[in-house]
Amino acid sequence: MSTWPPRTVIRRASGLRTMESALVRSGLGPVAGVDEAGRGACAGPLVVAACVLGPKPHAALARLDDSKKLTEKTRDELFPVIKRLAVAWSVVAIPAAEIDRIGVHVANIEGMRRAVAGLSVPPGYVLTDGFRVPGLSAPSLPVIGGDGAAACIAAASILAKVSRDRTMVALDDELPGYGFAGHKGYGTAVHTAAMNELGPSREHRMSYANVAAASRAYDSAARRAYESAASRGFGATG
């Protein structure tokens, strides 16, 4: 009598390939990993990537790990290698306005669905970093700390992180003064000071408490400046 899904025997594989190898041996491949970058930022898009690696380890991908544990140089070096050696990969961006409309958790789940749907090779199984994702076209498993436990998730985390970082550097040119190239849209003290001085930009997530607070602070400062100017006779006379 057969059962589904089949029992999986976990044997230690090299690097971060143990989980994927077990799934492939059970006939559940190819295995896609999914991860995001920018969930905790208060400006810029949420970027989600999905990646399917080949069934055998490749020496050029031996340095795969959680993108947050890698240096920027290492991530930039691995980024084109992953795209070249992956069986399939997909990167999607959820803009700030959509995050405000549906909420960051829903945006994250929706982004994971879109990333998996964008793969040129349909996966037999999906490993997600920490979040259960309903509505996928294949069975899936959330893996806590997945980007440090499964090579396909680690690869997806690097694709998402590098793609988002490059977007934020480009936005720094379009919207100077906020320091996006440095803090990448996260709520640092420098970023908060810039929001208070300049007001939030079109790339800020207005549903976030710190952005809303900065908007109020900016409006209040602008109102005080106007009232001060008006009291000195520089206000509009109609």
Side-chain angles (χ1 to χ4, degrees):
M1 180 178 177
S2 63
T3 60
W4 189 261
R7 274 185 77 183
T8 299
V9 178
I10 302 294
R11 299 187 184 94
R12 185 68 184 173
S14 61
L16 305 180
R17 302 303 297 258
T18 299
M19 195 171 298
E20 286 119 302
S21 297
L23 290 167
V24 170
R25 285 197 306 272
S26 297
L28 294 173
V31 180
V34 189
D35 200 6
E36 53 78 22
R39 180 183 174 92
C42 60
L46 175 71
V47 176
V48 186
C51 186
V52 177
L53 297 175
K56 295 182 179 179
H58 198 290
L61 297 176
R63 292 182 294 169
L64 280 178
D65 202 346
D66 176 355
S67 64
K68 296 183 290 296
K69 296 179 181 178
L70 303 175
T71 65
E72 182 178 0
K73 180 176 183 290
T74 300
R75 291 194 300 266
D76 285 340
E77 290 171 351
L78 284 170
F79 184 74
V81 178
I82 293 168
K83 293 200 293 184
R84 176 168 53 88
L85 296 178
V87 173
W89 60 272
S90 170
V91 177
V92 300
I94 310 293
E98 186 171 356
I99 295 170
D100 284 337
R101 188 170 67 252
I102 64 178
V104 68
H105 181 69
V106 174
N108 193 25
I109 299 301
E110 178 60 24
M112 289 183 170
R113 290 194 195 106
R114 293 179 193 176
V116 171
L119 291 169
S120 59
V121 175
Y125 208 91
V126 179
L127 298 176
T128 62
D129 185 29
F131 294 96
R132 189 179 73 85
V133 183
L136 293 175
S137 58
S140 64
L141 178 71
V143 182
I144 303 299
D147 43 7
C152 57
I153 301 179
S157 76
I158 292 169
L159 292 177
K161 172 66 174 169
V162 174
S163 296
R164 187 179 188 279
D165 283 357
R166 292 179 179 179
T167 295
M168 298 310 296
V169 170
L171 286 176
D172 197 31
D173 290 334
E174 293 179 28
L175 300 167
Y178 294 98
F180 287 149
H183 54 65
K184 306 301 189 296
Y186 287 87
T188 64
V190 170
H191 187 183
T192 300
M195 283 194 293
N196 290 337
E197 180 182 353
L198 303 173
S201 73
R202 67 173 188 271
E203 293 294 333
H204 281 91
R205 304 174 187 177
M206 294 303 301
S207 58
Y208 280 40
N210 64 326
V211 178
S215 181
R216 290 192 297 270
Y218 174 76
D219 290 344
S220 178
R223 185 166 54 251
R224 288 195 303 270
Y226 175 83
E227 291 170 351
S228 176
S231 69
R232 298 195 303 271
F234 298 117
T237 60

